[in-house]
Amino acid sequence: MERAMNDKVNTMFAEEIGQTAPAGLSEAERQRFFVKKAAGYVAEESRALGRPLTAAVTTFGCQMNARDSEKLSGILREIGYRLQEEEDADFVIFNTCTVRDNANQRVYGRLGYLHANKKKNPHMKIALCGCMMQEPGAVEKIRNSYDFVDIIFGTHNIFKLAELIVRSYEQKGMLIDIWEDTSQIVEDLPIQRKYPFKSGVNIMFGCNNFCSYCIVPYVRGRERSRQPKDILQEIERLAADGVKEVMLLGQNVNSYGRNLEPPVSFGELLREVEKIEGIRRIRFMTSHPKDLSDDLIRVMADSKKICRHLHLPLQSGSSRLLKLMNRRYDKEQYLALAAKIRKAIPDISITTDIIVGFPGETEEDFLDTLDVVKQVQFENAFTFIYSKRTGTPAASMDDQIPDKVAHERFDRLLKLVQETARKRAGLLTGTVQTVLAESVNTQDDSLLTGRLSNNSLVHFPGTPDMIGGLYQIALLECKGFYYIGKQVKGELEDE
Ligand code: SAH
Ligand code: SF4
Ligand code: F3S
């Protein structure tokens, strides 16, 4: 474990803090010690103000960040903060993303609003963490232009939130603690889940793939898999707590467990998760096409619990660009893989991510992308305009594509994606499907919104007490990308 930058700011940090926690504790025990200590400070401030202190966690970016935010929320709750959504809280933390530049710009914009809140409430503490904080340039900019921020930390030490809060009560000025990488995985800290009935579960951290456009390996560090026993124990606990659906999370779940001793495959892990009673649905994100094995297809086809949905990022349909992107598959391999999956699991829905405007992308390359979309007929595709990320190999490639060309291609791609997705969307109309009721419909509160195994949404008449249950729903009609349905039987019992 290294502490990278900003030594000037808090050189004494670890040593000083170390002295306040008893020696010989595990990292989780140390953090529980700091949770108690922070709780003391928060209670004291709350008494002085004559009201409870509030905290808000705002998440940018992907499912990994959403899960990290649940960990941050769990720690804040233990410390005694009342969690709320609104950012006028006493403690506000932004869990940031830096995968594309617009994610960064949103953070800077929102910081402006926070500053106004802080002027009204001088007790307010503002913390920033997550992927963007792993970029020295971003941290430098915040130090120089947003000096009202109290705490900055990164992706490798989110478990230290309580310790950092203690420190910020004891020290004036901006506190910065960023690690360059870590081999540490700290288990067993409190977690505040967003949904009672479904949960993300990290199975691995980091990424080793270094796709040439992507900043994630630099900000999330090297790939580290959790031990299967820790993952299974976490899922057993979630099941005991009423969770019915788990989403196994990793940047490339298909390479899960390769570096464990002894090695374990993702398929083997899934077989074990399948056995856990109470868990009714299993999802996972993200699958890299280069590592998707026949064994995984078999496990999915045989499973009663693994959902009929695979997110399989394509990025580009051009073999030439895929090589430059360092994706390590070509157009034909991707097409063959998608066809094999559709054949083995006919009711599966395949979704994808696509980038347009990668350096050097020609009209011919782009037509290859359109061709793959036509052939695979994705149920949905997330489309992105290439964003140059400093420090990645693609950032220094010749022939960056002008914005106008990228936007024009983006619009053409989106149109085709919507056409093909719409064609596939209605395929289940007239059938009865199992649906997990997830929320009250935002437009009409006599309806619930639920999800099919293939990730499609369905709206059907129901009451809030049904949320979290699995129901048999007849799909009456497909409206564009969602279904309208009606319940045909009561709540499903565990099989
Ligand atoms: N690990 C996942 C992706 C994580 S990032 C995978 O390999 O599929 C999510 C998506 O953001 C990527 O699939 C890619 O399509 C997009 N993305 C990543 N870097 C980008 C960049 N520099 N510009 C535009 N889109 C990017
Ligand atoms: Fe980025 Fe590629 Fe890793 Fe996905 S697999 S996080 S796109 S480097
Ligand atoms: Fe963004 Fe970090 Fe996820 S850069 S996409 S939040 S891993």
Side-chain angles (χ1 to χ4, degrees), residues 140-171:
E140 207 46 46
K141 179 164 171 174
I142 289 158
R143 280 175 77 175
N144 294 332
S145 310
Y146 300 84
D147 61 356
F148 53 90
V149 171
D150 300 277
I151 303 173
I152 298 182
F153 56 111
T155 54
H156 302 299
N157 54 350
I158 61 158
F159 61 85
K160 279 183 70 178
L161 175 62
E163 185 173 347
L164 294 164
I165 290 177
V166 166
R167 189 64 186 159
S168 86
Y169 271 104
E170 294 175 352
Q171 175 191 302

PDB file of all heavy atoms in Angstrom, residues 140-171:
ATOM      1  N   GLU A 140      -5.621  18.649  -7.773  1.00  0.00           N
ATOM      2  CA  GLU A 140      -4.912  19.938  -7.802  1.00  0.00           C
ATOM      3  C   GLU A 140      -5.891  21.083  -8.052  1.00  0.00           C
ATOM      4  O   GLU A 140      -5.857  22.120  -7.391  1.00  0.00           O
ATOM      5  CB  GLU A 140      -3.855  19.873  -8.922  1.00  0.00           C
ATOM      6  CG  GLU A 140      -2.652  20.759  -8.736  1.00  0.00           C
ATOM      7  CD  GLU A 140      -2.052  20.702  -7.324  1.00  0.00           C
ATOM      8  OE1 GLU A 140      -1.873  19.591  -6.795  1.00  0.00           O
ATOM      9  OE2 GLU A 140      -1.790  21.793  -6.768  1.00  0.00           O
ATOM     10  N   LYS A 141      -6.789  20.855  -9.003  1.00  0.00           N
ATOM     11  CA  LYS A 141      -7.780  21.891  -9.340  1.00  0.00           C
ATOM     12  C   LYS A 141      -8.684  22.176  -8.131  1.00  0.00           C
ATOM     13  O   LYS A 141      -9.004  23.328  -7.848  1.00  0.00           O
ATOM     14  CB  LYS A 141      -8.613  21.402 -10.540  1.00  0.00           C
ATOM     15  CG  LYS A 141      -9.688  22.365 -10.966  1.00  0.00           C
ATOM     16  CD  LYS A 141     -10.206  22.021 -12.354  1.00  0.00           C
ATOM     17  CE  LYS A 141     -11.448  22.884 -12.663  1.00  0.00           C
ATOM     18  NZ  LYS A 141     -11.911  22.721 -14.013  1.00  0.00           N
ATOM     19  N   ILE A 142      -9.072  21.130  -7.425  1.00  0.00           N
ATOM     20  CA  ILE A 142      -9.944  21.342  -6.262  1.00  0.00           C
ATOM     21  C   ILE A 142      -9.191  22.084  -5.152  1.00  0.00           C
ATOM     22  O   ILE A 142      -9.730  22.992  -4.525  1.00  0.00           O
ATOM     23  CB  ILE A 142     -10.530  20.003  -5.786  1.00  0.00           C
ATOM     24  CG1 ILE A 142     -11.565  19.534  -6.819  1.00  0.00           C
ATOM     25  CG2 ILE A 142     -11.189  20.122  -4.416  1.00  0.00           C
ATOM     26  CD1 ILE A 142     -11.847  18.086  -6.811  1.00  0.00           C
ATOM     27  N   ARG A 143      -7.930  21.713  -4.956  1.00  0.00           N
ATOM     28  CA  ARG A 143      -7.138  22.430  -3.940  1.00  0.00           C
ATOM     29  C   ARG A 143      -7.036  23.902  -4.257  1.00  0.00           C
ATOM     30  O   ARG A 143      -7.094  24.751  -3.376  1.00  0.00           O
ATOM     31  CB  ARG A 143      -5.711  21.860  -3.903  1.00  0.00           C
ATOM     32  CG  ARG A 143      -5.624  20.581  -3.113  1.00  0.00           C
ATOM     33  CD  ARG A 143      -4.249  20.019  -3.209  1.00  0.00           C
ATOM     34  NE  ARG A 143      -3.310  20.719  -2.353  1.00  0.00           N
ATOM     35  CZ  ARG A 143      -2.055  20.349  -2.179  1.00  0.00           C
ATOM     36  NH1 ARG A 143      -1.595  19.290  -2.810  1.00  0.00           N
ATOM     37  NH2 ARG A 143      -1.271  20.998  -1.389  1.00  0.00           N
ATOM     38  N   ASN A 144      -6.878  24.203  -5.538  1.00  0.00           N
ATOM     39  CA  ASN A 144      -6.672  25.598  -5.918  1.00  0.00           C
ATOM     40  C   ASN A 144      -7.970  26.388  -6.016  1.00  0.00           C
ATOM     41  O   ASN A 144      -8.008  27.538  -5.620  1.00  0.00           O
ATOM     42  CB  ASN A 144      -5.942  25.677  -7.269  1.00  0.00           C
ATOM     43  CG  ASN A 144      -4.539  25.124  -7.149  1.00  0.00           C
ATOM     44  OD1 ASN A 144      -3.948  25.174  -6.065  1.00  0.00           O
ATOM     45  ND2 ASN A 144      -4.011  24.568  -8.226  1.00  0.00           N
ATOM     46  N   SER A 145      -9.007  25.760  -6.523  1.00  0.00           N
ATOM     47  CA  SER A 145     -10.208  26.553  -6.849  1.00  0.00           C
ATOM     48  C   SER A 145     -11.422  26.229  -5.984  1.00  0.00           C
ATOM     49  O   SER A 145     -12.437  26.902  -6.093  1.00  0.00           O
ATOM     50  CB  SER A 145     -10.587  26.339  -8.316  1.00  0.00           C
ATOM     51  OG  SER A 145      -9.471  26.516  -9.132  1.00  0.00           O
ATOM     52  N   TYR A 146     -11.383  25.180  -5.190  1.00  0.00           N
ATOM     53  CA  TYR A 146     -12.543  24.811  -4.369  1.00  0.00           C
ATOM     54  C   TYR A 146     -12.064  24.548  -2.940  1.00  0.00           C
ATOM     55  O   TYR A 146     -12.230  23.464  -2.396  1.00  0.00           O
ATOM     56  CB  TYR A 146     -13.234  23.568  -4.957  1.00  0.00           C
ATOM     57  CG  TYR A 146     -13.730  23.766  -6.379  1.00  0.00           C
ATOM     58  CD1 TYR A 146     -12.869  23.586  -7.467  1.00  0.00           C
ATOM     59  CD2 TYR A 146     -15.043  24.141  -6.639  1.00  0.00           C
ATOM     60  CE1 TYR A 146     -13.312  23.771  -8.777  1.00  0.00           C
ATOM     61  CE2 TYR A 146     -15.502  24.324  -7.943  1.00  0.00           C
ATOM     62  CZ  TYR A 146     -14.629  24.139  -9.002  1.00  0.00           C
ATOM     63  OH  TYR A 146     -15.073  24.319 -10.287  1.00  0.00           O
ATOM     64  N   ASP A 147     -11.480  25.579  -2.334  1.00  0.00           N
ATOM     65  CA  ASP A 147     -10.798  25.356  -1.054  1.00  0.00           C
ATOM     66  C   ASP A 147     -11.767  25.172   0.118  1.00  0.00           C
ATOM     67  O   ASP A 147     -11.341  24.936   1.249  1.00  0.00           O
ATOM     68  CB  ASP A 147      -9.805  26.484  -0.762  1.00  0.00           C
ATOM     69  CG  ASP A 147     -10.509  27.820  -0.676  1.00  0.00           C
ATOM     70  OD1 ASP A 147     -11.739  27.863  -0.924  1.00  0.00           O
ATOM     71  OD2 ASP A 147      -9.843  28.835  -0.362  1.00  0.00           O
ATOM     72  N   PHE A 148     -13.078  25.227  -0.158  1.00  0.00           N
ATOM     73  CA  PHE A 148     -14.057  24.995   0.905  1.00  0.00           C
ATOM     74  C   PHE A 148     -14.327  23.502   1.115  1.00  0.00           C
ATOM     75  O   PHE A 148     -15.090  23.113   1.989  1.00  0.00           O
ATOM     76  CB  PHE A 148     -15.375  25.721   0.568  1.00  0.00           C
ATOM     77  CG  PHE A 148     -15.912  25.376  -0.795  1.00  0.00           C
ATOM     78  CD1 PHE A 148     -16.782  24.305  -0.949  1.00  0.00           C
ATOM     79  CD2 PHE A 148     -15.528  26.097  -1.923  1.00  0.00           C
ATOM     80  CE1 PHE A 148     -17.262  23.961  -2.206  1.00  0.00           C
ATOM     81  CE2 PHE A 148     -16.014  25.750  -3.188  1.00  0.00           C
ATOM     82  CZ  PHE A 148     -16.880  24.685  -3.324  1.00  0.00           C
ATOM     83  N   VAL A 149     -13.721  22.658   0.279  1.00  0.00           N
ATOM     84  CA  VAL A 149     -13.872  21.202   0.454  1.00  0.00           C
ATOM     85  C   VAL A 149     -13.051  20.771   1.675  1.00  0.00           C
ATOM     86  O   VAL A 149     -11.928  21.231   1.865  1.00  0.00           O
ATOM     87  CB  VAL A 149     -13.403  20.455  -0.818  1.00  0.00           C
ATOM     88  CG1 VAL A 149     -13.333  18.952  -0.585  1.00  0.00           C
ATOM     89  CG2 VAL A 149     -14.331  20.779  -1.988  1.00  0.00           C
ATOM     90  N   ASP A 150     -13.638  19.902   2.533  1.00  0.00           N
ATOM     91  CA  ASP A 150     -12.950  19.520   3.775  1.00  0.00           C
ATOM     92  C   ASP A 150     -12.118  18.247   3.645  1.00  0.00           C
ATOM     93  O   ASP A 150     -11.038  18.152   4.208  1.00  0.00           O
ATOM     94  CB  ASP A 150     -13.989  19.307   4.884  1.00  0.00           C
ATOM     95  CG  ASP A 150     -14.791  20.571   5.139  1.00  0.00           C
ATOM     96  OD1 ASP A 150     -14.289  21.429   5.880  1.00  0.00           O
ATOM     97  OD2 ASP A 150     -15.902  20.721   4.565  1.00  0.00           O
ATOM     98  N   ILE A 151     -12.671  17.248   2.953  1.00  0.00           N
ATOM     99  CA  ILE A 151     -11.989  15.945   2.920  1.00  0.00           C
ATOM    100  C   ILE A 151     -11.953  15.426   1.485  1.00  0.00           C
ATOM    101  O   ILE A 151     -12.963  15.466   0.779  1.00  0.00           O
ATOM    102  CB  ILE A 151     -12.743  14.895   3.784  1.00  0.00           C
ATOM    103  CG1 ILE A 151     -12.888  15.378   5.233  1.00  0.00           C
ATOM    104  CG2 ILE A 151     -12.058  13.541   3.735  1.00  0.00           C
ATOM    105  CD1 ILE A 151     -13.765  14.461   6.095  1.00  0.00           C
ATOM    106  N   ILE A 152     -10.785  14.952   1.071  1.00  0.00           N
ATOM    107  CA  ILE A 152     -10.669  14.296  -0.239  1.00  0.00           C
ATOM    108  C   ILE A 152     -10.004  12.943  -0.031  1.00  0.00           C
ATOM    109  O   ILE A 152      -8.941  12.849   0.582  1.00  0.00           O
ATOM    110  CB  ILE A 152      -9.805  15.135  -1.217  1.00  0.00           C
ATOM    111  CG1 ILE A 152     -10.460  16.496  -1.479  1.00  0.00           C
ATOM    112  CG2 ILE A 152      -9.595  14.392  -2.521  1.00  0.00           C
ATOM    113  CD1 ILE A 152      -9.685  17.363  -2.465  1.00  0.00           C
ATOM    114  N   PHE A 153     -10.644  11.903  -0.500  1.00  0.00           N
ATOM    115  CA  PHE A 153      -9.977  10.593  -0.503  1.00  0.00           C
ATOM    116  C   PHE A 153     -10.353   9.857  -1.774  1.00  0.00           C
ATOM    117  O   PHE A 153     -11.106  10.381  -2.599  1.00  0.00           O
ATOM    118  CB  PHE A 153     -10.277   9.793   0.765  1.00  0.00           C
ATOM    119  CG  PHE A 153     -11.735   9.558   1.063  1.00  0.00           C
ATOM    120  CD1 PHE A 153     -12.271   8.288   0.966  1.00  0.00           C
ATOM    121  CD2 PHE A 153     -12.557  10.592   1.464  1.00  0.00           C
ATOM    122  CE1 PHE A 153     -13.623   8.066   1.260  1.00  0.00           C
ATOM    123  CE2 PHE A 153     -13.907  10.385   1.749  1.00  0.00           C
ATOM    124  CZ  PHE A 153     -14.435   9.108   1.641  1.00  0.00           C
ATOM    125  N   GLY A 154      -9.791   8.662  -1.992  1.00  0.00           N
ATOM    126  CA  GLY A 154      -9.896   8.023  -3.305  1.00  0.00           C
ATOM    127  C   GLY A 154     -10.717   6.753  -3.297  1.00  0.00           C
ATOM    128  O   GLY A 154     -11.599   6.562  -2.458  1.00  0.00           O
ATOM    129  N   THR A 155     -10.409   5.879  -4.241  1.00  0.00           N
ATOM    130  CA  THR A 155     -11.189   4.640  -4.375  1.00  0.00           C
ATOM    131  C   THR A 155     -10.644   3.512  -3.486  1.00  0.00           C
ATOM    132  O   THR A 155     -11.343   2.561  -3.197  1.00  0.00           O
ATOM    133  CB  THR A 155     -11.144   4.127  -5.824  1.00  0.00           C
ATOM    134  OG1 THR A 155      -9.756   4.006  -6.212  1.00  0.00           O
ATOM    135  CG2 THR A 155     -11.828   5.074  -6.785  1.00  0.00           C
ATOM    136  N   HIS A 156      -9.357   3.641  -3.091  1.00  0.00           N
ATOM    137  CA  HIS A 156      -8.730   2.521  -2.396  1.00  0.00           C
ATOM    138  C   HIS A 156      -8.922   2.570  -0.893  1.00  0.00           C
ATOM    139  O   HIS A 156      -8.588   1.618  -0.189  1.00  0.00           O
ATOM    140  CB  HIS A 156      -7.224   2.490  -2.707  1.00  0.00           C
ATOM    141  CG  HIS A 156      -6.950   2.390  -4.171  1.00  0.00           C
ATOM    142  ND1 HIS A 156      -7.380   1.323  -4.928  1.00  0.00           N
ATOM    143  CD2 HIS A 156      -6.320   3.227  -5.025  1.00  0.00           C
ATOM    144  CE1 HIS A 156      -7.014   1.497  -6.185  1.00  0.00           C
ATOM    145  NE2 HIS A 156      -6.373   2.653  -6.268  1.00  0.00           N
ATOM    146  N   ASN A 157      -9.399   3.698  -0.374  1.00  0.00           N
ATOM    147  CA  ASN A 157      -9.487   3.828   1.087  1.00  0.00           C
ATOM    148  C   ASN A 157     -10.845   4.329   1.549  1.00  0.00           C
ATOM    149  O   ASN A 157     -10.931   5.033   2.536  1.00  0.00           O
ATOM    150  CB  ASN A 157      -8.348   4.723   1.614  1.00  0.00           C
ATOM    151  CG  ASN A 157      -8.305   6.077   0.914  1.00  0.00           C
ATOM    152  OD1 ASN A 157      -8.988   6.304  -0.071  1.00  0.00           O
ATOM    153  ND2 ASN A 157      -7.498   6.984   1.446  1.00  0.00           N
ATOM    154  N   ILE A 158     -11.905   3.943   0.827  1.00  0.00           N
ATOM    155  CA  ILE A 158     -13.227   4.423   1.255  1.00  0.00           C
ATOM    156  C   ILE A 158     -13.584   3.884   2.644  1.00  0.00           C
ATOM    157  O   ILE A 158     -14.352   4.493   3.363  1.00  0.00           O
ATOM    158  CB  ILE A 158     -14.365   4.097   0.272  1.00  0.00           C
ATOM    159  CG1 ILE A 158     -14.520   2.604   0.090  1.00  0.00           C
ATOM    160  CG2 ILE A 158     -14.228   4.781  -1.066  1.00  0.00           C
ATOM    161  CD1 ILE A 158     -15.908   2.270  -0.418  1.00  0.00           C
ATOM    162  N   PHE A 159     -12.992   2.744   2.991  1.00  0.00           N
ATOM    163  CA  PHE A 159     -13.279   2.175   4.314  1.00  0.00           C
ATOM    164  C   PHE A 159     -12.792   3.083   5.445  1.00  0.00           C
ATOM    165  O   PHE A 159     -13.143   2.883   6.607  1.00  0.00           O
ATOM    166  CB  PHE A 159     -12.662   0.775   4.442  1.00  0.00           C
ATOM    167  CG  PHE A 159     -11.165   0.755   4.304  1.00  0.00           C
ATOM    168  CD1 PHE A 159     -10.356   1.012   5.407  1.00  0.00           C
ATOM    169  CD2 PHE A 159     -10.567   0.503   3.081  1.00  0.00           C
ATOM    170  CE1 PHE A 159      -8.979   1.015   5.289  1.00  0.00           C
ATOM    171  CE2 PHE A 159      -9.182   0.503   2.942  1.00  0.00           C
ATOM    172  CZ  PHE A 159      -8.392   0.773   4.051  1.00  0.00           C
ATOM    173  N   LYS A 160     -11.980   4.093   5.102  1.00  0.00           N
ATOM    174  CA  LYS A 160     -11.415   4.971   6.128  1.00  0.00           C
ATOM    175  C   LYS A 160     -12.264   6.201   6.432  1.00  0.00           C
ATOM    176  O   LYS A 160     -11.815   7.101   7.143  1.00  0.00           O
ATOM    177  CB  LYS A 160     -10.023   5.462   5.664  1.00  0.00           C
ATOM    178  CG  LYS A 160      -8.924   4.450   5.897  1.00  0.00           C
ATOM    179  CD  LYS A 160      -7.579   4.992   5.493  1.00  0.00           C
ATOM    180  CE  LYS A 160      -7.082   6.081   6.418  1.00  0.00           C
ATOM    181  NZ  LYS A 160      -5.745   6.559   6.009  1.00  0.00           N
ATOM    182  N   LEU A 161     -13.481   6.248   5.919  1.00  0.00           N
ATOM    183  CA  LEU A 161     -14.274   7.463   6.087  1.00  0.00           C
ATOM    184  C   LEU A 161     -14.357   7.929   7.541  1.00  0.00           C
ATOM    185  O   LEU A 161     -14.161   9.111   7.835  1.00  0.00           O
ATOM    186  CB  LEU A 161     -15.688   7.248   5.505  1.00  0.00           C
ATOM    187  CG  LEU A 161     -16.673   8.390   5.718  1.00  0.00           C
ATOM    188  CD1 LEU A 161     -16.199   9.671   5.038  1.00  0.00           C
ATOM    189  CD2 LEU A 161     -18.061   8.016   5.192  1.00  0.00           C
ATOM    190  N   ALA A 162     -14.615   7.001   8.465  1.00  0.00           N
ATOM    191  CA  ALA A 162     -14.776   7.411   9.872  1.00  0.00           C
ATOM    192  C   ALA A 162     -13.476   8.030  10.399  1.00  0.00           C
ATOM    193  O   ALA A 162     -13.480   9.052  11.083  1.00  0.00           O
ATOM    194  CB  ALA A 162     -15.172   6.211  10.722  1.00  0.00           C
ATOM    195  N   GLU A 163     -12.365   7.418  10.031  1.00  0.00           N
ATOM    196  CA  GLU A 163     -11.064   7.916  10.468  1.00  0.00           C
ATOM    197  C   GLU A 163     -10.828   9.330   9.938  1.00  0.00           C
ATOM    198  O   GLU A 163     -10.337  10.219  10.641  1.00  0.00           O
ATOM    199  CB  GLU A 163      -9.985   6.955   9.939  1.00  0.00           C
ATOM    200  CG  GLU A 163      -8.596   7.246  10.400  1.00  0.00           C
ATOM    201  CD  GLU A 163      -7.608   6.150   9.977  1.00  0.00           C
ATOM    202  OE1 GLU A 163      -8.051   5.052   9.551  1.00  0.00           O
ATOM    203  OE2 GLU A 163      -6.395   6.393  10.076  1.00  0.00           O
ATOM    204  N   LEU A 164     -11.231   9.554   8.694  1.00  0.00           N
ATOM    205  CA  LEU A 164     -11.048  10.873   8.089  1.00  0.00           C
ATOM    206  C   LEU A 164     -11.969  11.905   8.730  1.00  0.00           C
ATOM    207  O   LEU A 164     -11.592  13.073   8.901  1.00  0.00           O
ATOM    208  CB  LEU A 164     -11.287  10.795   6.578  1.00  0.00           C
ATOM    209  CG  LEU A 164     -10.246   9.950   5.831  1.00  0.00           C
ATOM    210  CD1 LEU A 164     -10.721   9.584   4.430  1.00  0.00           C
ATOM    211  CD2 LEU A 164      -8.912  10.692   5.749  1.00  0.00           C
ATOM    212  N   ILE A 165     -13.164  11.485   9.105  1.00  0.00           N
ATOM    213  CA  ILE A 165     -14.076  12.423   9.772  1.00  0.00           C
ATOM    214  C   ILE A 165     -13.502  12.826  11.135  1.00  0.00           C
ATOM    215  O   ILE A 165     -13.495  14.002  11.499  1.00  0.00           O
ATOM    216  CB  ILE A 165     -15.491  11.807   9.900  1.00  0.00           C
ATOM    217  CG1 ILE A 165     -16.139  11.734   8.515  1.00  0.00           C
ATOM    218  CG2 ILE A 165     -16.366  12.615  10.857  1.00  0.00           C
ATOM    219  CD1 ILE A 165     -17.507  11.092   8.471  1.00  0.00           C
ATOM    220  N   VAL A 166     -12.975  11.841  11.868  1.00  0.00           N
ATOM    221  CA  VAL A 166     -12.341  12.149  13.160  1.00  0.00           C
ATOM    222  C   VAL A 166     -11.261  13.198  12.949  1.00  0.00           C
ATOM    223  O   VAL A 166     -11.190  14.211  13.632  1.00  0.00           O
ATOM    224  CB  VAL A 166     -11.739  10.869  13.795  1.00  0.00           C
ATOM    225  CG1 VAL A 166     -10.788  11.214  14.933  1.00  0.00           C
ATOM    226  CG2 VAL A 166     -12.851   9.953  14.263  1.00  0.00           C
ATOM    227  N   ARG A 167     -10.435  12.926  11.961  1.00  0.00           N
ATOM    228  CA  ARG A 167      -9.314  13.821  11.704  1.00  0.00           C
ATOM    229  C   ARG A 167      -9.786  15.231  11.339  1.00  0.00           C
ATOM    230  O   ARG A 167      -9.201  16.223  11.766  1.00  0.00           O
ATOM    231  CB  ARG A 167      -8.475  13.231  10.555  1.00  0.00           C
ATOM    232  CG  ARG A 167      -7.184  13.930  10.339  1.00  0.00           C
ATOM    233  CD  ARG A 167      -6.311  13.776  11.553  1.00  0.00           C
ATOM    234  NE  ARG A 167      -5.095  14.564  11.421  1.00  0.00           N
ATOM    235  CZ  ARG A 167      -4.361  14.934  12.443  1.00  0.00           C
ATOM    236  NH1 ARG A 167      -4.718  14.603  13.680  1.00  0.00           N
ATOM    237  NH2 ARG A 167      -3.265  15.622  12.263  1.00  0.00           N
ATOM    238  N   SER A 168     -10.861  15.304  10.572  1.00  0.00           N
ATOM    239  CA  SER A 168     -11.312  16.636  10.143  1.00  0.00           C
ATOM    240  C   SER A 168     -11.915  17.405  11.312  1.00  0.00           C
ATOM    241  O   SER A 168     -11.976  18.625  11.283  1.00  0.00           O
ATOM    242  CB  SER A 168     -12.279  16.553   8.967  1.00  0.00           C
ATOM    243  OG  SER A 168     -13.588  16.365   9.410  1.00  0.00           O
ATOM    244  N   TYR A 169     -12.375  16.687  12.363  1.00  0.00           N
ATOM    245  CA  TYR A 169     -12.803  17.392  13.573  1.00  0.00           C
ATOM    246  C   TYR A 169     -11.592  17.889  14.362  1.00  0.00           C
ATOM    247  O   TYR A 169     -11.687  18.816  15.140  1.00  0.00           O
ATOM    248  CB  TYR A 169     -13.652  16.475  14.469  1.00  0.00           C
ATOM    249  CG  TYR A 169     -15.137  16.528  14.143  1.00  0.00           C
ATOM    250  CD1 TYR A 169     -15.754  15.502  13.447  1.00  0.00           C
ATOM    251  CD2 TYR A 169     -15.908  17.629  14.532  1.00  0.00           C
ATOM    252  CE1 TYR A 169     -17.109  15.551  13.152  1.00  0.00           C
ATOM    253  CE2 TYR A 169     -17.260  17.688  14.233  1.00  0.00           C
ATOM    254  CZ  TYR A 169     -17.859  16.654  13.544  1.00  0.00           C
ATOM    255  OH  TYR A 169     -19.197  16.718  13.248  1.00  0.00           O
ATOM    256  N   GLU A 170     -10.447  17.224  14.157  1.00  0.00           N
ATOM    257  CA  GLU A 170      -9.286  17.555  14.986  1.00  0.00           C
ATOM    258  C   GLU A 170      -8.292  18.479  14.301  1.00  0.00           C
ATOM    259  O   GLU A 170      -7.337  18.930  14.900  1.00  0.00           O
ATOM    260  CB  GLU A 170      -8.574  16.246  15.391  1.00  0.00           C
ATOM    261  CG  GLU A 170      -9.445  15.385  16.307  1.00  0.00           C
ATOM    262  CD  GLU A 170      -8.816  14.026  16.618  1.00  0.00           C
ATOM    263  OE1 GLU A 170      -7.786  13.669  16.012  1.00  0.00           O
ATOM    264  OE2 GLU A 170      -9.382  13.326  17.480  1.00  0.00           O
ATOM    265  N   GLN A 171      -8.511  18.715  13.005  1.00  0.00           N
ATOM    266  CA  GLN A 171      -7.509  19.469  12.245  1.00  0.00           C
ATOM    267  C   GLN A 171      -8.188  20.474  11.327  1.00  0.00           C
ATOM    268  O   GLN A 171      -9.240  20.190  10.769  1.00  0.00           O
ATOM    269  CB  GLN A 171      -6.718  18.467  11.387  1.00  0.00           C
ATOM    270  CG  GLN A 171      -5.728  19.085  10.441  1.00  0.00           C
ATOM    271  CD  GLN A 171      -5.220  18.025   9.461  1.00  0.00           C
ATOM    272  OE1 GLN A 171      -4.676  17.018   9.874  1.00  0.00           O
ATOM    273  NE2 GLN A 171      -5.408  18.264   8.175  1.00  0.00           N
TER     274      GLN A 171
END
